[in-house]
Amino acid sequence: MVSKFCDVDLHPDNVPNAEMGLIFENLIRRFNELANETAGDHFTPRDVIRLMVNILFINDDKLLATPGTVRKLLDPACGTGGMLAEAQNYLREHHAAARLYVYGQDYNKRAFATAASDMLMKQVDHNGGTDNIRFGDSFTDDQFPRESFDYLLANPPFGVDWKKQQNEIQREHEKLGFGGRFGAGLPRVNDGSLLFLQHMISKFEPVLPDQHKHGSRLGIVFSGSPLFTGGAGSGESDIRKWIIENDWLETIVALPEQMFYNTGIGTYVWIVTNRKEKRRKGKIQLVDARECYIPMRRSLGDKRRKIGEGKDGEPDQIGDIVKLYGRFAESDMSKIFDNADFGYTRVTVERPLRLRYQMTVEDKARFLDACPHLLDDVQAIDKNLGRESQRDWNAVWSRIEKLLRTRKSRWKAPEQKLFRTVFTKKDPEAEPVLKGGREEGYEPDADLRDFENIPLKENIETYFEREVLPHVPDAWMDRSKDKVGYEINFNRHFYSYTPPRPLEQIDADLKRAEEEILRLLKDVTS
């Protein structure tokens, strides 16, 4: 292997650093494919990193231009260290006087070794030591347990489960709560992305300007799942609720598909901070950059698109996206929302239980098999009420209770429950069943129970009367079961209706297709 590389002239005069980086990434991708691993565990495309770094540092020019400024950045899933290197490159280009100490951690031994050696080979600022890149699982073996950072960047693996770490994470969540890292909630075990986000937020620097502490900014790459997975009360929803109600979520940027080496799915960059600008407080910006790409001349794995960087004749699409973010204004690609716009109350909607009573020989035998000692009472009920179908269970049970009192019989609660189960059936035409036989409302029918997600900005009673009661007049809300949830539906906010073509055009296309099929069939048969 070494001898083959010796035959190639890789001098920096002939192969610039950027090209060498692409060669390096391509080699990692190829060898990972051979080893049946995923390239996404190791590195993020440089165009995506540059976009994230530009947004992360965009508002800190004044802070970074202060002489002697020292800042710290952490990537808890650093892979081969690409994000750390790009962050330092940005500061060298824009704020040469500032010093950025970068720190990273990764659980993959080969990726960790690559990142550590890369940092040693490059001129990297660190806080007086050489162990700024550390090995270990960020969830169970945090290598920076008592440190805070000014900036945080990460591209955690998409959809990777955390079963191996589940016991320790669950223990920290239950024992320490918000005193630990995972107090807001735990996502489902098959995707640990939101655990990384909570871990990073636990590293936030507080906002204390008098003590030269200016808060933190965080950039993380997610798939679409963390935006909306999980209903109200789920771990995912509770984590979103915690972040949004603390006013930390600043911006989400939707990236084009086919941007990553090992997956073609759509991805999103979240910007989270505890030091929002005044104009952004209480607001969340969504940026739709899904069409901001140029096709690559040659694909690298699943990566067939890149975001233009304004070099070699490319459009400066990174600059355009950063300007959209910086303007903080409404447009076709940028939408501004209040935090509460993404919240909703999950209200339980109940409908009354309606039962029809009828005694049959088969049901009578079934009941007496379970309660043979009640034979005389059942015979008396049969004689008194008859075998006709009756649609008012309240009246039926009132007569039965009166009869049992006359006979001085006392049935236990399980026997009463079994009697109703055996001799009644649900009937939408029957009268509603009263709670406990008294005028305290109706018993709910569990099979008809439904849920309504009511936006936080809506008055719940008004919404219910307007949207539910006209369709279900006998419904009511059980407010004791209310849950508040949060979700971010990107497509809903950027959906644009495209009217279908005229039927004449569609018919003409179908006719042409039919003619082409017939022609091809004739060619085959001839």
Side-chain angles (χ1 to χ4, degrees):
M1 183 67 72
V2 173
S3 65
K4 291 293 182 183
F5 273 104
C6 289
D7 294 337
V8 183
D9 185 0
L10 297 175
H11 192 279
D13 292 342
N14 297 322
V15 184
N17 284 341
E19 293 296 323
M20 198 66 195
L22 291 174
I23 293 171
F24 174 64
E25 290 176 356
N26 195 33
L27 285 171
I28 290 177
R29 179 185 65 81
R30 288 171 180 267
F31 281 104
N32 285 337
E33 285 177 354
L34 292 174
N36 198 28
E37 294 183 16
T38 55
D41 285 348
H42 295 271
F43 59 90
T44 310
R46 290 301 182 267
D47 46 339
V48 174
I49 299 175
R50 289 185 187 118
L51 172 64
M52 295 174 68
V53 167
N54 272 271
I55 294 177
L56 204 65
F57 292 124
I58 185 174
N59 295 319
D60 288 358
D61 287 345
K62 183 178 178 181
L63 197 62
L64 295 170
T66 305
T69 293
V70 175
R71 314 297 283 166
K72 292 165 63 181
L73 181 145
L74 171 69
D75 182 348
C78 67
T80 53
M83 287 189 167
L84 305 178
E86 283 299 329
Q88 290 211 319
N89 288 340
Y90 178 93
L91 251 69
R92 289 195 190 102
E93 292 174 11
H94 296 85
H95 303 285
R99 300 184 69 188
L100 179 69
Y101 296 155
V102 295
Y103 299 80
Q105 180 173 346
D106 204 275
Y107 74 100
N108 183 298
K109 292 181 179 179
R110 284 186 291 171
F112 157 72
T114 305
S117 58
D118 194 40
M119 295 296 110
L120 287 172
M121 287 187 289
K122 292 178 178 177
Q123 184 183 352
V124 172
D125 294 327
H126 50 77
N127 199 12
T130 57
D131 64 339
N132 50 325
I133 307 297
R134 300 176 187 174
F135 175 73
D137 188 325
S138 292
F139 294 159
T140 59
D141 185 22
D142 182 10
Q143 293 292 308
F144 306 96
R146 288 175 293 278
E147 295 193 47
S148 58
F149 297 85
D150 305 287
Y151 304 103
L152 300 103
L153 279 170
N155 172 25
F158 301 151
V160 173
D161 70 60
W162 45 283
K163 287 180 182 176
K164 292 180 181 178
Q165 305 99 321
Q166 186 173 6
N167 289 338
E168 290 188 53
I169 292 173
Q170 191 89 32
R171 194 180 306 118
E172 180 174 340
H173 167 71
E174 294 172 355
K175 189 174 180 180
L176 299 180
F178 285 101
R181 295 171 295 167
F182 309 115
L186 300 179
R188 61 196 66 195
V189 79
N190 60 4
D191 188 356
S193 298
L194 287 169
L195 292 176
F196 273 101
L197 182 55
Q198 289 187 87
H199 169 74
M200 294 166 76
I201 290 174
S202 73
K203 307 292 183 188
F204 271 8
E205 181 106 332
V207 181
L208 301 168
D210 295 342
Q211 301 178 27
H212 303 289
K213 294 182 178 181
H214 303 281
S216 302
R217 287 176 64 77
L218 176 161
I220 190 167
V221 183
F222 281 147
S223 63
S225 178
L227 290 169
F228 51 78
T229 300
S234 68
E236 293 91 345
S237 179
D238 285 347
I239 294 167
R240 290 190 292 266
K241 175 184 176 183
W242 174 63
I243 293 168
I244 293 173
E245 290 189 349
N246 277 288
D247 199 19
W248 292 334
L249 181 58
E250 183 176 277
T251 304
I252 297 178
V253 181
L255 299 179
E257 296 178 349
Q258 300 178 8
M259 285 292 297
F260 284 75
Y261 298 95
N262 64 315
T263 178
I265 64 173
T267 50
Y268 300 82
V269 173
W270 291 36
I271 303 297
V272 181
T273 180
N274 61 352
R275 55 180 176 93
K276 281 187 178 182
E277 299 174 79
K278 186 177 180 180
R279 61 177 179 158
R280 291 183 180 270
K281 289 188 180 295
K283 305 285 184 181
I284 295 172
Q285 181 182 16
L286 302 185
V287 177
D288 185 7
R290 288 176 289 190
E291 298 301 320
C292 294
Y293 66 86
I294 55 175
M296 296 177 64
R297 288 191 295 271
R298 185 177 181 183
S299 64
L300 294 171
D302 289 324
K303 182 174 174 62
R304 297 178 177 87
R305 297 171 175 174
K306 65 172 293 188
I307 303 174
E309 301 177 50
K311 301 175 182 177
D312 302 322
E314 295 177 355
D316 186 11
Q317 293 171 323
I318 290 180
D320 294 339
I321 297 170
V322 174
K323 287 174 186 174
L324 273 175
Y325 162 81
R327 290 193 195 106
F328 191 61
E330 291 272 352
S331 69
D332 291 341
M333 295 174 61
S334 172
K335 307 287 185 185
I336 313 295
F337 299 93
D338 293 331
N339 289 348
D341 289 336
F342 300 106
Y344 62 89
T345 304
R346 183 176 183 261
V347 175
T348 304
V349 179
E350 302 282 16
R351 294 179 63 186
L353 177 66
R354 298 173 183 270
L355 295 178
R356 170 172 51 84
Y357 166 81
Q358 186 173 22
M359 184 173 287
T360 64
V361 174
E362 294 81 5
D363 291 338
K364 189 174 177 182
R366 189 154 55 95
F367 178 75
L368 291 173
D369 281 343
C371 304
H373 58 285
L374 298 179
L375 172 62
D376 292 340
D377 289 339
V378 172
Q379 295 286 38
I381 293 170
D382 189 6
K383 183 178 179 181
N384 190 275
L385 271 71
R387 299 271 177 99
E388 295 297 319
S389 175
Q390 301 182 49
R391 288 179 169 170
D392 189 347
W393 170 252
N394 306 304
V396 168
W397 185 245
S398 179
R399 290 175 62 186
I400 292 173
E401 282 186 315
K402 187 176 180 180
L403 178 63
L404 293 177
R405 281 197 299 271
T406 303
R407 295 176 53 81
K408 298 182 180 180
S409 293
R410 290 189 177 183
W411 285 13
K412 296 176 182 177
E415 295 167 345
Q416 296 178 24
K417 184 177 180 181
L418 179 63
F419 183 87
R420 192 176 86 170
T421 302
V422 171
F423 293 108
T424 63
K425 288 184 173 57
K426 291 182 181 180
D427 184 347
E429 302 299 324
E431 292 296 316
V433 177
L434 296 171
K435 278 186 179 179
R438 296 182 296 273
E439 296 291 336
E440 296 178 354
Y442 299 124
E443 279 192 43
D445 187 339
D447 292 336
L448 297 179
R449 183 172 294 140
D450 203 355
F451 303 95
E452 192 76 21
N453 291 340
I454 301 176
L456 285 184
K457 288 189 169 183
E458 289 267 11
N459 179 279
I460 292 177
E461 283 74 18
T462 303
Y463 181 95
F464 183 76
E465 291 176 5
R466 184 183 73 240
E467 301 293 337
V468 179
L469 285 182
H471 308 290
V472 194
D474 61 351
W476 73 91
M477 294 184 290
D478 183 353
R479 298 297 307 279
S480 66
K481 299 176 182 176
D482 283 6
K483 292 180 180 178
V484 174
Y486 281 80
E487 67 175 17
I488 302 168
N489 191 324
F490 227 92
N491 292 330
R492 180 194 304 161
H493 300 300
F494 288 96
Y495 172 75
S496 58
Y497 174 70
T498 303
R501 294 181 299 154
L503 287 174
E504 294 79 7
Q505 292 184 16
I506 298 173
D507 287 340
D509 286 349
L510 289 171
K511 189 174 181 180
R512 281 194 293 271
E514 288 173 357
E515 291 172 352
E516 179 66 11
I517 291 169
L518 289 172
R519 185 187 66 77
L520 292 171
L521 285 172
K522 287 180 181 178
D523 291 346
V524 172
T525 54
S526 64

